[in-house]
């Protein structure tokens, strides 16, 4: 496959680059005018059956960060860390003030959080390009004050489960398992990682791809710092063709914003999102914890596994928390 060269990017023209990439990498109309699933159309029953067959040892790995006040959020666009509050406690039960009969007591709790506060999926209504959403719909016809009435995250319920593949770019390309902030992962880096990891790391139609940069490992060691919204390793804008051409179903990283930050243009904000979500129809995952899985993959040399990663089906949401589990 021929990829767009990073050297060909004009750092002063993000709008032109987005327009050109969108033209080359569009899935609009591919599955009909009414389609709401985008690249999840690549993940069919046969792919799920093949993914389930990858479970051999029964070893399972949680890929979710914690949902608590110690998370990475810093308030950008009102994104905060989850706030967990108890409604009923053991103290209430001991004191008998809950009003239940025959000595039974209980505890209840509530949580407040932005839906993209921790490990999450971006839905297809999350990003627009010049006022247009996935499949050529007008953004205002898709997402209103009532939420995403067309491609809300609930449309993915029961679908995001299949063959997962870890591309541990941090180990394959980086130093001591980590890439530095600002490192742009190109298609060549992804292909080199696949080659280094071997046949179980091959990537193709319907796969759920996980890209580890090692930035979360660094944040865990050194503190959150500017993990949320600051400089980060991530996918280069020039990987749009790779994301489109491989026909993967979804992709997630261990970083806040998926793509390299600062972005590769002088004045831009998340331009790869602007192509990947509204044009390719690709589901992007962010803030996934890939370290334990990566260590196991490095130990046994197997980089494919069964992955189940259903988002919380909040009706009309443009993104949602997820507690992914990889099983080998």
């Amino acid at each position: 496959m021929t990829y767009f060269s990073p050297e060909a990017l004009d750092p002063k023209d993000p709008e032109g680059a987005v327009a050109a990439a969108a033209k080359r990498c569009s899935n609009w109309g591919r599955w009909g005018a009414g389609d709401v699933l985008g690249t999840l159309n690549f993940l069919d029953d046969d792919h799920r059956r093949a993914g389930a067959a990858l479970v051999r040892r029964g070893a399972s790995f949680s890929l979710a960060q914690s949902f608590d006040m110690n998370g990475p959020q810093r308030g950008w666009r009102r994104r905060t860390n989850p706030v967990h509050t108890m409604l009923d406690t053991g103290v209430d039960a001991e004191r008998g003030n809950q009003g239940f009969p025959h000595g039974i007591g209980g505890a209840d709790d509530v949580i407040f959080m932005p839906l993209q506060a921790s490990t999450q999926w971006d839905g297809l209504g999350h990003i627009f390009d010049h006022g247009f959403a996935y499949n050529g719909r007008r953004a205002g016809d898709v997402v209103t004050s009532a939420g995403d009435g067309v491609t809300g995250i609930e449309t993915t319920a029961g679908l995001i489960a299949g063959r997962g593949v870890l591309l541990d770019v941090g180990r394959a390309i980086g130093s001591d398992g980590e890439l530095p902030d600002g490192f742009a992962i190109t298609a060549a880096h992804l292909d080199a990682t696949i080659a280094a990891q071997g046949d179980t790391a091959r990537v193709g139609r319907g796969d759920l791809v996980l890209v580890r940069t090692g930035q979360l490992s660094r944040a865990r060691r050194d503190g959150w710092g500017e993990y949320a919204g600051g400089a980060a390793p991530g996918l280069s804008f020039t990987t749009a063709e790779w994301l489109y051409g491989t026909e993967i179903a979804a992709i997630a990283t261990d970083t806040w914003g998926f793509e390299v930050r600062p972005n590769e243009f002088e004045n831009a904000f998340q331009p790869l999102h602007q192509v990947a979500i509204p044009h390719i129809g690709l589901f992007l995952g962010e803030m996934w914890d890939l370290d334990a899985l990566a260590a196991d993959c490095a130990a046994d040399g197997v980089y494919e596994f069964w992955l189940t990663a259903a988002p919380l089906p909040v009706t009309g949401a443009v993104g949602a928390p997820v507690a992914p589990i990889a099983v080998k």
Side-chain angles (χ1 to χ4, degrees):
M1 184 182 298
T2 300
Y3 302 121
F4 191 68
S5 168
E7 291 74 24
L9 286 180
D10 180 354
K12 298 182 182 297
D13 187 21
E15 190 162 2
V18 167
K23 185 176 181 179
R24 295 191 301 267
C25 304
S26 176
N27 279 324
W28 287 8
R30 183 170 186 167
W31 296 285
D35 180 59
V36 299
L37 296 180
T39 54
L40 288 184
N41 284 287
F42 294 131
L43 180 51
D44 58 20
D45 293 349
D46 289 338
H47 285 88
R48 290 192 191 90
R49 190 161 47 246
L54 297 174
V55 177
R56 294 182 172 88
R57 292 161 45 208
S60 63
F61 303 86
S62 169
L63 310 183
Q65 291 192 43
S66 296
F67 285 76
D68 57 36
M69 286 292 290
N70 296 318
Q73 299 298 335
R74 298 184 296 151
W76 178 82
R77 297 188 73 81
R78 297 180 293 281
R79 286 189 186 176
T80 62
N81 291 313
V83 178
H84 176 224
T85 301
M86 298 307 301
L87 300 177
D88 269 311
T89 70
V91 175
D92 298 320
E94 283 185 13
R95 293 178 179 175
N97 61 12
Q98 293 181 321
F100 295 129
H102 52 75
I104 189 172
D108 254 336
D109 44 8
V110 65
I111 191 168
F112 170 82
M113 65 176 184
L115 293 178
Q116 299 185 20
S118 188
T119 307
Q120 54 96 25
W121 284 117
D122 285 345
L124 296 187
H126 179 49
I127 297 293
F128 313 121
D129 180 18
H130 288 79
F132 286 91
Y134 168 67
N135 223 14
R137 301 179 178 98
R138 295 186 64 85
D141 293 336
V142 175
V143 183
T144 67
S145 59
D148 184 339
V150 180
T151 52
I153 203 72
E154 75 278 6
T155 60
T156 70
L159 297 180
I160 309 181
R163 178 179 183 258
V165 184
L166 175 70
L167 300 185
D168 193 348
V169 186
R171 272 187 175 84
I173 305 296
S175 174
D176 295 325
E178 300 173 12
L179 299 174
D181 292 339
F183 185 96
I185 300 170
T186 65
H189 291 133
L190 295 173
D191 288 344
T193 299
I194 294 169
Q197 293 180 175
D199 186 59
T200 62
R202 60 182 170 76
V203 170
R205 175 178 287 196
D207 287 340
L208 303 167
V209 178
L210 311 180
V211 176
R212 179 183 173 277
T213 70
Q215 192 198 30
L216 180 57
S217 307
R218 185 161 58 252
R220 217 179 244 124
R221 182 180 65 245
D222 301 336
W224 287 119
E226 295 188 348
Y227 175 87
L235 271 69
S236 167
F237 179 82
T238 61
T239 58
E241 280 81 5
W242 189 94
L243 298 171
Y244 174 74
T246 52
E247 298 186 337
I248 59 176
I251 185 169
T253 71
D254 57 352
T255 68
W256 173 88
F258 177 74
E259 57 191 282
V260 63
R261 294 181 56 81
N263 302 136
E264 296 155 287
F265 301 91
E266 293 179 3
N267 182 24
F269 180 74
Q270 303 299 77
L272 183 56
H273 276 64
Q274 195 175 344
V275 176
I277 293 178
H279 292 283
I280 301 176
L282 182 63
F283 287 80
L284 307 183
E286 292 156 338
M287 295 180 283
W288 289 39
D289 185 350
L290 306 177
D291 285 353
L293 174 64
D296 189 84
C297 291
D300 72 359
V302 177
Y303 290 85
E304 60 182 353
F305 38 84
W306 168 252
L307 177 64
T308 178
L312 193 66
V314 179
T315 301
V318 299
V322 60
I325 298 176
V327 186
K328 295 180 68 178

